[in-house]
Every structure is written in structure tokens, then in C-alpha cells.
Amino acid sequence: MPLPGPVVRPYVAPLCPRCPGHRGVTVAVPAGRTVTAAFPGTVRFAGDVAGRPYVVLDLGGAVLLTYGGLAGTAAARGSRVAEGESL
């Protein structure tokens, strides 16, 4: 887990590959907590989506990991991130 906290919205598998679903896990944490990378990867996107910072890590092998709804981020597109490094 990128940070400790209760899961407030679990993974919900979509009915089909392009159907809606919650393809992640939402963790509740106190404001101001630092989010860290759960795995090492390369930052493919770092920016705002609907007014909230998001970071997408490429873990290799077509695997992407998205961190969203962040208070802010120092991550830069193209940079390498180590496991446990602040996003």
C-alpha cells in the first residue's frame, strides 16, 4: 500500500474490458499525509485531472499504477521513482 489507512472503496471489476468499474482501491488518509510509490517505476503522467493532482507510474510490461486525488505532487514526467519514494 502507498500509505496506511482504511480502504473506503474496494476494487470493483468491470463487466467487460470497456465497461465502467472501479479499477483501483481508494484509501482514506488524514490530510497532509505523504503518498509514496508502492512499486518502482517511471512517471508517465503528473498533472491535474478535474482540478486534482494525479501521478501515473509505468511499472513495465504494460502495467500502469495511478495515484489520484492527491493534495499535490513533486513528480515529473519521465522521472524514475523508487519504491517508497514520495510522489
Side-chain angles (χ1 to χ4, degrees), residues 49-84:
V49 175
R52 297 299 303 261
Y54 276 71
V55 175
V56 178
L57 290 183
D58 184 339
L59 307 182
V63 177
L64 300 176
L65 183 57
T66 302
Y67 298 86
L70 306 172
T73 181
R77 187 173 188 271
S79 63
R80 293 280 305 153
V81 177
E83 181 177 338

